[in-house]
Amino acid sequence: MTTLPLNPTDWEDLCQNLHNLLDRCVDQMRDAEDHPWQAPPDDLAKRYAIGAGGDVVARVMDQVLPHHGGNTHPKFWGWVQGSGLASDFVAGIATAAMNTNGGGRNHGINEMERAVIDWTRCKMGFGEGASGVLVAGTSQATVISLQAARVRVCPDVRASGSDVGLTVYAADGVHNATRKAVELLGLGHDQLRLVSTQNGAMDLQALQQAITADRAQGLTPLAIVGTAGSVDLGGYDDLNGLADLAAAEELWLHIDGAFGAWTRLADAPWRNLTDGIDRADSIALDFHKWMYVGYDCGLALIADEAAHRAAFAARPAYLKGTAEGLAGGDPWFCDYGIDLSRGNRALKVWCALEMFGEEAFSKAITRNCAQAAHMAEQVQSHGMEVTAPVVSNICLFTAAPDLPADQQSDLNAQIATHLQLHNATVFSTTDVNGITCLRAAITNHRTRDHHITEAIADVAKVAQLLKGSLG
Ligand SMILES: *Cc1c(COP(=O)(O)O)cnc(C)c1O
């Protein structure tokens, strides 16, 4: 019998190879500390060029697995990246076998996605009338949330495409995802009002003034975007203050809680940073950052299901639902977002929560906050300077506060690169008051306190080494 095209010639053989691959993968995750980021070899593009064929499993082990982005390593604190969980193996393997399309119809993923959304809804304090949709990440969740806001204010906008001079308000440090969203929705980022901050939170008085000024101009304020965990500083807006103002002005309150919403699971005092988040109209958040789940998985959570559906639902004839059969099942997630075809993102969140239990996540998140504070202490003990208050899991510092600003910036940037290349340690950088600073965002369940102690000692050492080479 000839084998089908696109089927393995020998399933037994494949299975054996897969066992080997699984062993290798589990080793790599268990021994994550031995697998830091490394600069990819120069000929990688050539090795990956399509057409070589051969033993694919062996090639994946040799040529793919080593060239990861480093974020599984315990000393990875760059940008905001999750560390990945062993439960991702369970979900990944099952997902491959099932090849689930989560756009709709009558099968298990709908119930599982609802279970994941419902759990998150309860954690964020939203009522039973809320809805949600799992998406690639907070960037897409922001578009979905603001589209729901826009359709609520302008029910005709899905047909006409035009709106009425809508404006959106956010803190001046708001993540670029919000800017992209207002661009994609056709508002244009000139209509995104960047409100000044005080102590890392939006200045409520300045916000009120901006809204009043826009109304006086005949514009229509649409939404306030509050931040729970700002990308540069890990700061939080006063969410209750924003909710009061949004209620008084009848505006949609959206929260960018990409990573920071998860302090809702942490112990006090960090838990209280998100007080008031339950009063929002929508939240965008990620499981792939501070819930440590493998990429990618974010969530748009919307308090008013009717508003959510009104923005996206549409069933042409070829997607008609039925009472029975595979075309049954309701609701379909294609009615809650941009994508029709969608992968099984719910399973990896479900596996994570069921394998480790909610309490373990609370502990890990709480510990990451405490570790950022520990890092700040270490920085100071080496005579370096913390450049912004540590609010949650982000620590910003400069290695040589005694140098002029431009030299500090050069040095800090050089230190970050040096540590990535030579010390298996990943900080990223960002600017604080005009100085490029080293930045750690600790969303890593593998980090232990000694990793931080060692890393900061390394920073101090490398700073001394590189200071000599500053021109
Ligand atoms: C990462 C991040 C985003 C974007 O989320 P993605 O999941 O990368 O699309 C938005 N806001 C904040 C605060 C973030 O940290």
Side-chain angles (χ1 to χ4, degrees):
M1 203 172 72
T2 55
T3 47
L4 291 168
L6 302 180
N7 255 6
T9 43
D10 184 342
W11 283 96
E12 280 302 315
D13 196 43
L14 175 73
C15 196
Q16 195 54 52
N17 286 338
L18 284 176
H19 280 110
N20 294 339
L21 176 64
L22 182 61
D23 285 345
R24 183 76 75 89
C25 289
V26 169
D27 284 353
Q28 181 161 318
M29 185 178 275
R30 185 194 53 215
D31 305 330
E33 185 144 15
D34 302 332
H35 298 274
W37 173 82
Q38 292 173 330
D42 292 338
D43 66 342
L44 203 56
K46 220 162 79 191
R47 288 194 220 170
Y48 287 174
I50 300 297
D55 183 343
V56 170
V57 171
R59 288 181 63 200
V60 165
M61 290 200 278
D62 295 344
Q63 299 174 13
V64 177
L65 279 177
H67 306 302
H68 54 81
N71 48 314
T72 49
H73 192 272
K75 288 188 188 174
F76 184 102
W77 309 302
W79 304 277
V80 189
Q81 297 196 27
S83 40
L85 296 169
S87 48
D88 296 333
F89 287 124
V90 184
I93 293 167
T95 296
M98 294 168 76
N99 189 30
T100 294
N101 179 348
R105 292 159 289 265
N106 190 12
H107 50 142
I109 188 174
N110 295 318
E111 298 307 331
M112 180 158 288
E113 184 155 344
R114 241 168 266 142
V116 166
I117 292 167
D118 206 52
W119 176 83
T120 314
R121 173 186 75 72
C122 293
K123 293 300 134 194
M124 295 299 147
F126 273 29
E128 283 186 6
S131 57
V133 62
L134 294 178
V135 292
T138 289
S139 300
Q140 197 188 127
T142 307
V143 176
I144 288 171
S145 300
L146 292 182
Q147 173 68 349
R150 188 168 75 139
V151 173
R152 188 174 72 171
V153 168
C154 314
D156 180 47
V157 76
R158 284 182 70 174
S160 66
S162 63
D163 53 44
V164 286
L166 298 172
T167 50
V168 174
Y169 305 81
D172 53 14
V174 73
H175 191 279
N176 194 48
T178 291
R179 187 180 157 109
K180 268 194 201 172
V182 297
E183 290 170 359
L184 285 167
L185 293 174
L187 275 64
H189 67 235
D190 286 349
Q191 275 56 256
L192 174 61
R193 307 285 186 246
L194 296 178
V195 179
S196 57
T197 49
Q198 275 190 332
N199 303 322
M202 220 186 310
D203 179 339
L204 295 179
Q205 217 171 355
L207 171 60
Q208 177 69 69
Q209 282 165 2
I211 294 167
T212 305
D214 282 333
R215 287 208 200 280
Q217 294 283 315
L219 297 168
T220 305
L222 170 67
I224 300 169
V225 177
T227 296
S230 65
V231 63
D232 277 332
L233 310 176
Y236 286 70
D237 282 327
D238 169 4
L239 304 185
N240 272 314
L242 294 184
D244 290 343
L245 217 158
E249 293 283 343
E250 296 185 348
L251 301 185
W252 183 285
L253 176 59
H254 172 71
I255 305 297
D256 178 346
F259 64 97
W262 294 112
T263 53
R264 203 70 200 142
L265 302 189
D267 295 346
W270 299 291
R271 176 185 162 83
N272 304 103
L273 291 167
T274 43
D275 284 353
I277 200 166
D278 54 320
R279 298 172 62 194
D281 293 291
S282 56
I283 308 173
L285 51 77
D286 285 324
F287 292 93
H288 58 219
K289 286 178 174 172
W290 217 359
M291 282 291 283
Y292 316 102
V293 168
Y295 285 93
D296 52 23
C297 189
L299 170 66
L301 188 66
I302 295 188
D304 174 1
E305 173 158 26
H308 192 180
R309 279 186 72 90
F312 294 99
R315 291 289 188 87
Y318 51 84
L319 292 175
K320 206 179 239 170
T322 55
E324 285 185 283
L326 180 53
D330 189 58
W332 289 13
F333 280 100
C334 63
D335 286 328
Y336 294 82
I338 299 165
D339 299 319
L340 172 56
S341 302
R342 348 183 12 259
N344 190 349
R345 295 194 176 99
L347 182 57
K348 54 194 170 191
V349 180
W350 187 86
C351 286
L353 286 168
E354 292 299 285
M355 186 180 271
F356 302 112
E358 181 184 318
E359 187 61 28
F361 289 89
S362 294
K363 278 194 180 137
I365 293 164
T366 301
R367 199 168 72 157
N368 284 164
C369 290
Q371 286 171 329
H374 173 63
M375 184 178 282
E377 284 164 20
Q378 292 297 308
V379 164
Q380 281 160 344
S381 80
H382 283 278
M384 302 185 288
E385 188 175 287
V386 176
T387 48
V390 176
V391 181
S392 50
N393 63 329
I394 293 185
C395 179
L396 285 149
F397 61 101
T398 180
D402 47 313
L403 294 178
D406 56 337
Q407 288 190 25
Q408 282 188 56
S409 292
D410 281 354
L411 182 71
N412 290 331
Q414 284 182 35
I415 291 169
T417 305
H418 186 99
L419 292 171
Q420 290 161 16
L421 289 169
H422 306 294
N423 294 64
T425 301
V426 178
F427 293 92
S428 57
T429 61
T430 194
D431 292 352
V432 183
N433 301 326
I435 295 175
T436 302
C437 293
L438 290 155
R439 173 180 165 287
I442 310 177
T443 48
N444 190 330
H445 72 287
R446 295 192 184 92
T447 300
R448 294 170 189 274
D449 291 0
H450 74 84
H451 293 122
I452 289 170
T453 312
E454 287 161 20
I456 298 303
D458 283 343
V459 171
K461 226 181 294 172
V462 171
Q464 288 309 319
L465 190 80
L466 294 178
K467 256 185 189 172
S469 67
L470 280 180

